[in-house]
């Protein structure tokens, strides 16, 4: 029987330095050789590797023509499986666009937090999906300018908040009255989440033709993942937790992390080589996940990508945390050193610095002060009784952003200020984040005499891609940005005996609510920002179009 395509293709890496290579990820239903053929003669092939009964390949495509866009097809053991037979031709051919080395323009779209959308025509209680809407927009208008890269900044799947369809599927496998109930339990159930999310026709086509960079956040594993040492200790007492965390890390490595690596990094990666060399790589990958969970310093999920003269440093703000209450840090020392090197290295070659972090660096001021206050109480500033109460509040209110790691917040703030200072500084330094289910633009107001000399430094937050936020939380976010919210924050700081943050900041855009995507267009040393909402209408069911709600220059005085 011929091999079939289960998932993909996903266009992941496109080489901006040479302009002649790309990587394409696929999952097949049996062992086979996966091949990518381009109309211009470029291509590549790879034998699948096996994990937990699933068969994957990451094909390195070579021979691309810099500056060209070429359609491609996928073959398994010589039989074409992509593009699918589609008499309606709802979506155009999947293509690979190879940038011309030296090009000074790049479009970066980003967002986070995406529940899988229901099938076309089905009821969607959270409104149109922004990725579906982007696919509809691009397919409808062949002349539309596509993003050069799509950054998915966490919560690509929700392991702890499953859909009705997934719950029905889980109930056929096991008794949902037993823990973890309606949440996913193992690797096989994780694969189902990716099928549900990435087999959506519009999203599948979009991911086949727009390169992606990804990083996890908590819901890719579970809400509050690594929020504190006591949280980790409590979870490790649960009989189902070990299988959950190992499966979460294994599935993330296969479905998301591998595609973040360049061809050169893949070639040098000993784990990738070991998994591919084994008849069944499950135990090799499982041991890696166990080591990563026991000692986060054994793996680096963070990575760097350069798009011409635009640099992206994607930060793991979940798995590398130091959770000792007296030494809380977003990263261990080695990870922190790596971050400094990647941000400050060769600044003269960088017109724009993008720092991808699933969690915002600059929150609404009241939220920031609440998290700083909570961290002080949890480490014992007001005694054990307050510490126990504060831990319960931390978990219930998700007080775990950069502000909840005060030393790390200050270190990142100073690092960004240094990156944005001096004659070799980039034009912009932008922290791109999600998580908080609304969008906004915030800018630091540096203490007198410490203003960075060159760069405009911004927090750009965009969330969700497809999710919802209760009305009461919308009100809470608005309060958090208000003058009254700042007063409440000051009162919390006094109670927690914490000083003001190392920098102040103001909101210069938003808050915006809804399913949305932000796009940065970086051209030379100019930068433009656009925020688009998934708008109802213009398509069947939940597949709508995009509506621009905010547009501005980031590199002019009136921007």
């Amino acid at each position: 029987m011929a091999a079939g395509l289960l998932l993909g293709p996903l266009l992941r890496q496109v080489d901006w330095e040479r302009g002649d290579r790309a990587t394409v990820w696929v999952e097949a239903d049996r062992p086979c050789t996966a091949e990518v053929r381009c109309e211009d003669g470029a291509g590549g092939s790879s034998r699948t590797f096996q994990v937990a009964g699933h068969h994957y390949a990451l094909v390195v495509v070579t021979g691309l023509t810099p500056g060209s866009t070429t359609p491609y097809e996928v073959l398994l053991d010589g039989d074409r499986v992509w593009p699918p037979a589609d008499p309606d031709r709802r979506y155009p051919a999947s293509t690979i666009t190879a940038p011309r080395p030296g090009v000074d323009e790049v479009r970066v779209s980003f967002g986070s937090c995406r529940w899988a959308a229901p099938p076309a025509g089905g009821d969607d209680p959270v409104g149109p999906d922004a990725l579906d809407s982007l696919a509809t927009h691009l397919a409808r208008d062949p002349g539309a300018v596509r993003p050069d890269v799509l950054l998915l900044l966490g919560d690509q799947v929700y392991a702890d908040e499953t859909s009705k369809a997934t719950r029905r599927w889980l109930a056929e496998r096991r008794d949902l009255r037993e823990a973890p109930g309606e949440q996913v339990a193992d690797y096989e159930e994780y694969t189902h989440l990716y099928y549900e999310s990435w087999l959506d026709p519009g999203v599948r086509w979009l991911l086949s033709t727009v390169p992606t960079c990804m990083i996890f956040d908590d819901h890719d594993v579970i809400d509050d993942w690594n929020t504190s040492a006591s949280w980790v200790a409590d979870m490790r007492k649960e009989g189902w937790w070990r299988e959950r965390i190992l499966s979460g890390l294994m599935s993330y490595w296969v479905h998301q992390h591998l595609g973040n690596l360049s061809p050169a990094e893949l070639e040098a990666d000993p784990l990738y080589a070991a998994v591919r060399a084994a008849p069944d790589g499950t135990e090799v990958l499982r041991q890696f996940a166990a080591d990563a969970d026991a000692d986060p310093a054994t793996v680096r999920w963070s990575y760097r990508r350069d798009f011409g003269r635009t640099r992206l440093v994607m930060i793991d703000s979940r798995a590398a945390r130091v959770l000792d209450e007296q030494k809380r840090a977003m990263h261990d020392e080695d990870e922190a050193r790596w971050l400094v090197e990647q941000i400050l290295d060769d600044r003269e070659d960088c017109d724009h610095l993008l720092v991808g972090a699933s969690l915002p660096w600059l929150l609404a001021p009241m939220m920031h002060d609440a998290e700083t206050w909570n961290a002080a109480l949890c480490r014992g500033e007001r005694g054990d009784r307050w510490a126990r109460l504060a831990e319960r509040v931390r978990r219930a209110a998700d007080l775990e952003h950069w502000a909840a790691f005060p030393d790390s917040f200050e270190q990142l703030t100073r690092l960004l200020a240094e990156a944005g200072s001096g004659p070799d500084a980039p034009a912009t330094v932008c922290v791109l984040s999600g998580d908080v289910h609304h969008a906004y633009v915030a800018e630091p107001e540096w203490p007198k005499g410490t203003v960075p000399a060159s760069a405009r430094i911004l927090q750009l937050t965009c969330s969700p891609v497809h999710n919802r936020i209760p009305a009461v939380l919308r009100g809470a976010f608005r309060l958090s940005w208000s003058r009254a919210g700042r007063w409440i924050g000051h009162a919390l700081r006094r109670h927690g005996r914490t000083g003001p943050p190392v920098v102040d900041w103001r909101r210069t855009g938003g808050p915006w609510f809804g399913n949305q995507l932000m796009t940065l267009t970086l051209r030379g040393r100019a930068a433009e920002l656009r925020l688009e909402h998934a708008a109802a209408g213009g398509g069947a069911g939940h597949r709508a179009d995009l509506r621009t709600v905010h547009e501005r220059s980031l590199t002019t005085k009136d921007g």
Side-chain angles (χ1 to χ4, degrees):
M1 184 181 295
L5 184 66
L6 284 182
L7 194 57
L10 274 72
L11 177 61
R12 297 301 313 270
Q13 267 297 311
V14 175
D15 189 335
W16 277 68
E17 182 178 357
R18 295 171 27 171
D20 65 347
R21 297 183 298 177
T23 59
V24 175
W25 182 98
V26 298
E27 181 186 353
D29 63 3
R30 65 196 65 229
C32 62
T33 296
E35 181 181 2
V36 174
R37 290 181 186 172
C38 301
E39 281 191 3
D40 65 359
S45 65
S46 179
R47 190 71 184 170
T48 57
F49 60 89
Q50 179 171 307
V51 175
H54 293 259
H55 308 280
Y56 307 97
L58 191 58
V59 180
V60 178
V61 179
T62 60
L64 295 166
T65 302
S68 70
T69 296
T70 180
Y72 73 90
E73 58 184 15
V74 177
L75 301 90
L76 300 180
D77 283 343
D79 294 328
R80 196 185 83 163
V81 294
W82 186 269
D86 181 6
D88 297 331
R89 298 297 296 175
R90 181 173 180 178
Y91 298 100
S94 299
T95 59
I96 300 175
T97 297
R100 182 178 292 105
V103 66
D104 67 349
E105 183 173 335
V106 60
R107 289 176 177 82
V108 181
S109 295
F110 62 96
S112 79
C113 306
R114 179 177 178 266
W115 275 344
D123 178 52
D124 193 340
V126 302
D129 182 331
L131 289 192
D132 259 334
S133 299
L134 177 59
T136 297
H137 173 73
L138 296 177
R140 179 183 296 138
D141 181 4
V145 178
R146 297 181 182 181
D148 293 299
V149 64
L150 176 63
L151 310 185
L152 301 177
L153 296 170
D155 296 343
Q156 274 66 264
V157 293
Y158 278 71
D160 53 349
E161 296 180 33
T162 55
S163 67
K164 290 181 180 179
T166 293
R167 293 196 292 271
R168 288 192 297 268
W169 181 82
L170 292 174
E172 295 174 356
R173 299 190 78 232
R174 55 182 172 84
D175 188 347
L176 299 189
R177 292 172 296 182
E178 298 179 1
E182 296 178 341
Q183 303 182 28
V184 301
D186 57 25
Y187 187 90
E188 184 65 28
E189 294 178 4
Y190 262 104
T191 65
H192 184 85
L193 295 183
Y194 284 102
Y195 295 152
E196 182 179 48
S197 185
W198 290 355
L199 285 177
D200 174 288
V203 171
R204 190 177 195 182
W205 173 77
L206 181 69
L207 298 182
S208 76
T209 202
V210 175
T212 47
C213 293
M214 306 182 188
I215 196 68
F216 46 46
D217 199 19
D218 55 345
H219 291 284
D220 290 271
V221 175
I222 193 171
D223 189 28
D224 296 339
W225 179 31
N226 284 346
T227 193
S228 67
S230 66
W231 180 92
V232 172
D234 287 347
M235 294 306 297
R236 287 177 174 170
K237 295 174 186 176
E238 300 289 344
W240 53 271
W241 172 246
R242 180 172 174 78
E243 188 61 36
R244 169 69 156 274
I245 184 62
L246 297 190
S247 296
L249 293 175
M250 291 168 66
S251 63
Y252 175 78
W253 185 87
V254 169
H255 293 83
Q256 299 191 50
H257 179 70
L258 268 186
N260 293 329
L261 304 181
S262 68
E265 289 168 329
L266 288 169
E267 188 175 351
D269 191 319
L271 176 61
Y272 183 53
V275 170
R276 294 181 69 196
D280 185 332
T282 306
E283 289 308 313
V284 174
L285 188 55
R286 187 177 179 84
Q287 184 59 54
F288 160 80
D291 292 343
D293 179 49
D295 182 5
T298 62
V299 60
R300 174 167 291 122
W301 302 108
S302 303
Y303 58 96
R304 169 180 159 180
R305 287 289 156 264
D306 291 327
F307 306 95
R309 292 183 59 82
T310 293
R311 177 178 304 169
L312 167 68
V313 180
M314 189 75 88
I315 301 176
D316 160 22
S317 56
R318 279 289 167 188
R321 294 177 172 185
V322 177
L323 298 177
D324 183 328
E325 290 296 345
Q326 306 306 315
K327 304 175 184 177
R328 273 177 71 85
M330 193 65 84
H331 303 114
D332 58 46
E333 292 182 0
D334 182 62
E335 185 84 358
R337 281 193 298 269
W338 178 89
L339 182 60
V340 171
E341 291 170 0
Q342 301 310 312
I343 286 180
L344 299 182
D345 180 42
D346 300 326
R347 287 192 306 161
E348 66 275 8
D349 296 332
C350 181
D351 285 332
H352 302 277
L353 171 63
L354 309 179
V355 178
S358 63
L359 303 177
W361 159 55
L362 299 179
L363 291 167
M366 188 184 81
M367 293 175 62
H368 177 98
D369 290 339
E371 297 201 5
T372 304
W373 161 79
N374 181 264
L377 267 55
C378 284
R379 70 171 177 262
E381 186 65 33
R382 285 283 185 177
D384 291 344
R385 182 179 177 185
W386 274 106
R388 290 190 296 271
L389 174 62
E391 175 62 24
R392 292 197 294 271
V393 171
R394 174 156 62 189
R395 298 190 198 184
D398 291 340
L399 304 183
E400 50 172 340
H401 299 80
W402 287 88
F405 298 80
D407 289 345
S408 295
F409 172 83
E410 291 194 9
Q411 290 167 8
L412 179 60
T413 300
R414 293 191 174 99
L415 177 58
L416 296 174
E418 182 177 357
S421 301
D424 294 331
T428 64
V429 176
C430 298
V431 180
L432 314 181
S433 306
D435 180 69
V436 291
H437 289 205
H438 67 294
Y440 59 88
V441 179
E443 298 188 48
E445 296 181 324
W446 303 96
K448 188 174 182 179
T450 65
V451 179
S454 300
R456 189 167 190 179
I457 301 176
L458 304 105
Q459 169 70 63
L460 305 178
T461 302
C462 183
S463 168
V465 169
H466 185 243
N467 208 309
R468 62 186 173 194
I469 180 171
V472 64
L473 286 183
R474 294 192 183 202
F477 286 135
R478 290 192 173 98
L479 172 64
S480 295
W481 285 109
S482 70
R483 183 176 299 178
R486 287 182 179 270
W487 183 89
I488 294 171
H490 292 164
L492 291 173
R493 289 209 310 258
R494 287 195 298 272
H495 181 261
R497 298 168 180 165
T498 65
V502 67
V503 67
D504 200 2
W505 58 94
R506 60 192 175 95
R507 174 174 51 88
T508 59
W512 298 284
F513 298 96
N515 296 328
Q516 50 203 345
L517 286 170
M518 275 185 178
T519 298
L520 279 171
T521 300
L522 307 170
R523 187 181 297 109
R525 291 181 67 81
E528 296 177 354
L529 175 69
R530 185 175 70 252
L531 175 71
E532 295 173 298
H533 279 179
H542 59 271
R543 288 174 172 81
D545 211 332
L546 293 172
R547 176 172 55 88
T548 299
V549 297
H550 182 74
E551 206 163 11
R552 66 193 286 190
S553 168
L554 300 181
T555 46
T556 59
K557 289 184 179 180
D558 60 352

